[in-house]
Amino acid sequence: MVKFSKQFEGQLVPEWKHAFVDYSLLRKDLKRMQHDHSPQGTIITTSTPHDHHQQQQSVATPSSYNLSPCRLLLHKLPAFFGSNNADHAGTIQVHRRVGRGEVYETEVTPEMETTTATAAREFFARLDAQLNKVNHFYKAKEEEFLHRGHSLRKQMDILLDLKSRSSSSLSGHHRATAGDDPSISCSSATSGAEDESTRYVTSATDTDESQHETAVMRDPEELSAEQGLEGSGSLSRQSLGRTVSSCQRKNLKINIPLTTPCRTISALTDLLRDDLVSQPKNKCDSDAGITFTTNNKTKLRHAEKMIKGAFIELYKGLGYLTTYRNLNMMAFVKILKKFEKVSGKQVLSVYLRAVESSYFNSSGEALKLMDEVEDVFVRHFAAGNRRKAMKYLKPTQRKESHTVTFFIGLMTGCFVALFLGYCIMAHIAGMYTQRRDSIYMETVYPVFSMFSLMFLHLFMYGCNMVAWRKARINYSFIFEFAAGRELKYRDVFLVCTASMAVIVGVMFAHLSLAVRGFHAQAIPGFLLLGFLLLLFCPFNMVYRSTRFQFLRILRNIVFSPLYKVVMVDFFMADQLCSQMQVPMLRSLEYVACYYISGSYRTQEYGYCINTKHIRDLAYAVSFLPYYWRAMQCARRWFDESDTGHLVNLGKYVSAMLAAGAKVAYEKDRSLGSLSLLVIVSSSATMYQLYWDFVKDWGLLQPNSKNPWLRNDLILKSKSIYYLSMGLNLVLRLAWLQTVIHPNFGSLDSRVTSFFLAALEVIRRGHWNFYRLENEHLNNAGKFRAVKTVPLPFHEADEED
């Protein structure tokens, strides 16, 4: 049976960990209390079978917000805790003080034994602090989500109103306006619909004395939605679907994020030209119509998609809040039961009454809002199909199959066997020595080394996923992966092992043919072509959603800064920067030249090495990842106006200068070129090390309670951080191999470069863990567990 503390740690929201009840700290207090009370220092940790059954029912649910409601639990508490608690009701007294917020204080009465009274006072003082912390956090988060819900209601009002007007303009007539009161005027507003900007402009009558709301005829679905969502308690809000008077809005803007090149170019064009806004009419003419162009309809569709995403995130946050309430309630129950076992005093019923009446357990606003969001989503985003709506609101996680584990082991065994066979054959044939003919090393080796480095990088990412999962780092949220569709670490390992087994098998077959004198230079080309076809395969096979997401990320990187930069984009660009420092990208360029030019037929590899414009292209490829990453920094500065991104851009500019100095040294191995290489590369390395340790990892804080680290550390051993910084420093100096040119006996220099390249890939995988650890701590410090989706509609001027 898994202990409750393990289940509690496993099911809490990682970003809210510090806001939950500190169950481990309270247990430590009880252990000290037990040690002081018992000479033997034994700790009572047994529990009855009924306790185990109750614990299993309460916290065994793996879902984030599928736990049973606390009210069902509390109704069963009297029978659960027995009926003899009245005899010990005077042991403690819980006082509730109401000021700026409710605060609970527990008084230990003289009936408590003197041997345990002091320890009991300390325990209940800490327990009160935990209860007050939970109440404060729950109230703050509830207010945040209620505010989001109120904003989304307004957004839905505007969206439904604009959609009805759009359908009216398509049908060629306006919806008739009517009301029971004949004094309500039938009116509608004209809109200067701008094709190039994101603005709808409507005007209010200055001369009309009537200030009644305009009542617009609605569809039956909208009316039913309006009736179903009215009267939801004390939220003081407008019902969903209520008509927003177009005559009351003076300036309604639709702000769509600049996430694509078209939107970015359009926004830049708008900045360069004068803001030409069409003048609205000064009256609400009932015969006037609203013009909805194709451009504005597209914006309306994007706005609907944004509102849909905001509802999903709101529902997810409310689910987390429900989990927060249920887990904390169970934590109070469990720790009070342990106190009773240690002290022998029945205090559970007394303190639990205070917990039950506290704000986090008694407030029902979040549950009401959750039901409302679910109803709205089913009606307006799932066409009344509840099952379809739940796929978005509560996506199911893919079950991990033992079949995947079996094939990982099978492919690993195949890879090891084939690799050993290949190494033995290559050693016998002397393929990797300087005495061997260089055709194999110049034509075939680049393909295999490129694939090896690529899948080594993917393997390191799988190791990162295991480490992140072990450390409870929510990498799926940080990377904004779709729930239930992202790759698990077992999937990553399966892709790596299967791919490397295929690659080594092809290497073994090719080497066997080459040793026997057969012309088989096309085999590596077919291998490369096969992987490219699989990557672009449109059929739903071999992780299609992940492959297409990878292609979209590469597209966003290549076309920087036209696409909005998110975490996964610049994370992948950093991986490409590491691959630039290794021969992978240059090998890819060489292999493409070798097979496209047809050199593989004659085994004439000198064309792709000695031709000037191809050699210059190879040097340009070396700059591309740094250029892309610099453009991403520029785009983030443009979006966020944070000068720190400009400082980060300078780091990649220094890296490009270092790469240029390396190119100059390879062309002209003079003393001046060597001096320039050392100076520029050393400066760039110091720049990169500072950014790694201080910005990306958040370390080297002089005033930290952990010397030269940071205040919050996920790993328990501090020495690991110091060793990691030293390892990163050593691996950052890999550029010295350009100056030193290390040789290991008769081993070919390309093999030496491959091992150094593998070290850089390992350094990047090592860097990845601490980068996401720091990002996770930033999210946890701000208690940010759900995304903040920007809302599309903004009213510049609105009449009271």
Side-chain angles (χ1 to χ4, degrees), residues 485-536:
R485 298 174 61 184
E486 75 277 9
L487 285 183
K488 305 296 184 182
Y489 71 92
R490 286 189 176 91
D491 299 316
V492 174
F493 288 147
L494 179 60
V495 171
C496 291
T497 54
S499 301
M500 288 307 300
V502 171
I503 292 169
V504 176
V506 173
M507 292 171 63
F508 185 82
H510 177 269
L511 185 58
S512 301
L513 294 174
V515 169
R516 290 174 174 82
F518 291 98
H519 179 69
Q521 298 300 316
I523 291 180
F526 283 121
L527 178 65
L528 178 60
L529 181 62
F531 272 98
L532 289 177
L533 290 177
L534 181 61
L535 179 62
F536 290 94

Side-chain angles (χ1 to χ4, degrees), residues 67 162 212 456 461 688:
L67 297 173
L162 292 179
H212 298 290
L456 174 62
Y461 175 69
Q688 293 164 357

Side-chain angles (χ1 to χ4, degrees), residues 420-433 435 511:
L420 290 176
Y422 174 80
C423 290
I424 293 172
M425 184 177 293
H427 177 71
I428 294 174
M431 285 296 180
Y432 295 113
T433 61
R435 298 186 299 270
L511 185 58

Side-chain angles (χ1 to χ4, degrees), residues 658-669:
K662 181 180 178 181
V663 170
Y665 177 70
E666 289 177 352
K667 288 184 176 181
D668 178 21
R669 296 182 179 272

Side-chain angles (χ1 to χ4, degrees), residues 431-501:
M431 285 296 180
Y432 295 113
T433 61
Q434 297 176 356
R435 298 186 299 270
R436 184 69 182 179
D437 187 11
S438 61
I439 293 179
Y440 183 85
M441 296 301 298
E442 294 289 353
T443 59
V444 179
Y445 176 75
V447 179
F448 296 142
S449 64
M450 177 185 66
F451 278 119
S452 300
L453 292 172
M454 182 187 305
F455 289 108
L456 174 62
H457 212 139
L458 188 60
F459 176 78
M460 291 301 301
Y461 175 69
C463 295
N464 287 146
M465 296 175 70
V466 174
W468 290 330
R469 182 174 178 176
K470 185 75 174 178
R472 298 278 294 160
I473 295 175
N474 194 356
Y475 62 91
S476 296
F477 170 68
I478 294 174
F479 289 140
E480 300 182 10
F481 289 153
R485 298 174 61 184
E486 75 277 9
L487 285 183
K488 305 296 184 182
Y489 71 92
R490 286 189 176 91
D491 299 316
V492 174
F493 288 147
L494 179 60
V495 171
C496 291
T497 54
S499 301
M500 288 307 300

Side-chain angles (χ1 to χ4, degrees), residues 16 31 70 80 223 323 332 397 411 438 451 583 620 667 699 723 725 759:
W16 296 353
K31 287 182 179 180
C70 278
F80 181 68
L223 289 175
T323 300
F332 281 115
Q397 298 290 334
M411 292 296 105
S438 61
F451 278 119
K667 288 184 176 181
L699 303 178
L723 291 175
M725 287 192 289
L759 289 177

Side-chain angles (χ1 to χ4, degrees), residues 631-651:
M631 290 299 99
Q632 286 181 335
C633 294
R635 174 59 190 262
R636 294 188 71 189
W637 170 77
F638 177 80
D639 291 338
E640 304 172 17
S641 300
D642 185 359
T643 56
H645 297 307
L646 292 180
V647 181
N648 196 15
L649 185 149
K651 181 185 72 171

